[in-house]
Amino acid sequence: MADVFLIIVTVVAFFILLVVGLYLVVKFQHPDDKNDAYLPKLIVILGFVTSGATVLLLPLDKANGEGYPGCDGYDTKLCGGLNMELFWSIMYWMVPVFLFLLIPFSTFYYEADDGMLMAGTSIGAKPNSRIKEALKYETFVVVIFGLIFAMTYLFLNETAIPVREVTGPSFSMGATYTITENPGGVFSLTQLAPMGDQDIAVLQLNRVNETLGTINLNINASAFYAGLLAWLGWFFFALFGGIGLAAMPLDLILMFVHRPRHMDAVEFAEAQI
């Protein structure tokens, strides 16, 4: 059974992200777009929610106790009962959907010429719609990145996990012990006999393969695309982060050099001429 508290926290977190995204869009929108471009604004708000939810899934996963063996039935006190694998899969698919479908389409729709060219009133122009214009450009984006993703997943969807093989004797070869039960029924370390020659002989049978082996596993599409986008994102982060760190001090210096200065009456009169 799912934890009611986690469900309430999840709903409240999504609501807060929605309010923050709406505030940022209203706060920083262009004055000319105050009552226009509703589709791009909606995509931007949902993009804020998706990016924030992807980050907040990590503490939710921890609070839910995902991966704890006790969640299988014998110790469910620390388990929230939420299907986090489904949550992660949804978010992993939402990121490429926004990145390659919704955001490019809304951008092409917003930048489509809705003046004389789109109305067909200019010389030699045929009437067209903004949706058709955006769909034409979006088709190129889908085809190009669809081929890239299909080819990379077709040839790179297998991962090799390094493992080291350790072999040991069977349980039947191990030492046998007789444990006296405590009156209280609680196990104590004093009930264990000291390690003897038989224990040492069994331990010496353990062997470690010095050659590092691998286990090959196929990755599902959602995890593969999430890893691919994260890998590519590091390069863009290093590029634009480096540019930003280098440009910010220069911008601050130029802002100080060109800061507004007090003008006396003569300078103000000359500036008015």
Side-chain angles (χ1 to χ4, degrees):
M1 182 178 178
D3 191 346
V4 178
F5 176 75
L6 288 182
I7 296 177
I8 295 175
V9 169
T10 303
V11 174
V12 171
F14 271 96
F15 179 75
I16 293 175
L17 291 174
L18 185 63
V19 172
V20 172
L22 180 62
Y23 171 79
L24 293 175
V25 169
V26 174
K27 174 74 174 178
F28 297 102
Q29 68 177 345
H30 195 277
D32 295 341
D33 295 331
K34 185 176 183 180
N35 296 314
D36 196 9
Y38 292 108
L39 177 61
K41 291 178 183 177
L42 178 62
I43 300 300
V44 171
I45 294 174
L46 295 179
F48 279 122
V49 174
T50 302
S51 59
T54 304
V55 176
L56 293 179
L57 275 185
L58 184 59
L60 178 62
D61 198 340
K62 179 62 177 68
N64 188 59
E66 191 75 12
Y68 174 54
C71 295
D72 293 335
Y74 66 86
D75 185 15
T76 58
K77 293 183 296 183
L78 301 177
C79 307
L82 300 178
N83 189 353
M84 293 305 302
E85 185 175 353
L86 177 61
F87 272 56
W88 283 111
S89 297
I90 292 175
M91 288 301 165
Y92 283 165
W93 280 111
M94 288 289 288
V95 171
V97 166
F98 267 88
L99 191 59
F100 301 109
L101 290 178
L102 298 181
I103 294 178
F105 176 79
S106 62
T107 303
F108 297 142
Y109 179 82
Y110 177 76
E111 294 182 351
D113 184 6
D114 59 340
M116 298 176 61
L117 181 61
M118 301 301 294
T121 56
S122 61
I123 300 176
K126 296 181 180 180
N128 202 352
S129 65
R130 301 176 69 180
I131 296 180
K132 291 182 180 180
E133 194 74 12
L135 285 175
K136 289 191 297 184
Y137 292 106
E138 179 63 24
T139 303
F140 287 100
V141 175
V142 172
V143 170
I144 294 173
F145 287 98
L147 289 175
I148 294 175
F149 277 5
M151 292 296 102
T152 52
Y153 183 72
L154 183 62
F155 295 102
L156 302 174
N157 68 334
E158 188 177 272
T159 180
I161 302 175
V163 294
R164 190 177 299 279
E165 184 179 1
V166 178
T167 58
S170 61
F171 287 103
S172 60
M173 298 178 60
T176 57
Y177 304 98
T178 300
I179 300 177
T180 304
E181 183 179 358
N182 284 339
V186 180
F187 175 77
S188 175
L189 294 177
T190 58
Q191 296 175 257
L192 295 177
M195 180 177 292
D197 296 336
Q198 188 177 5
D199 298 295
I200 298 175
V202 171
L203 291 175
Q204 290 177 347
L205 293 176
N206 294 326
R207 295 291 182 269
V208 178
N209 191 351
E210 298 298 334
T211 303
L212 194 65
T214 57
I215 296 179
N216 296 326
L217 298 175
N218 291 326
I219 307 175
N220 58 46
S222 60
F224 174 80
Y225 292 139
L228 179 62
L229 292 177
W231 180 73
L232 293 175
W234 276 110
F235 293 97
F236 289 102
F237 175 76
L239 175 63
F240 293 107
I243 294 174
L245 291 176
M248 185 173 66
L250 180 61
D251 288 341
L252 294 176
I253 293 174
L254 293 177
M255 289 174 60
F256 177 78
V257 172
H258 301 290
R259 68 189 185 278
R261 300 175 183 273
H262 178 72
M263 301 174 61
D264 56 24
V266 177
E267 292 177 339
F268 181 77
E270 294 178 351
Q272 294 296 319
I273 300 177

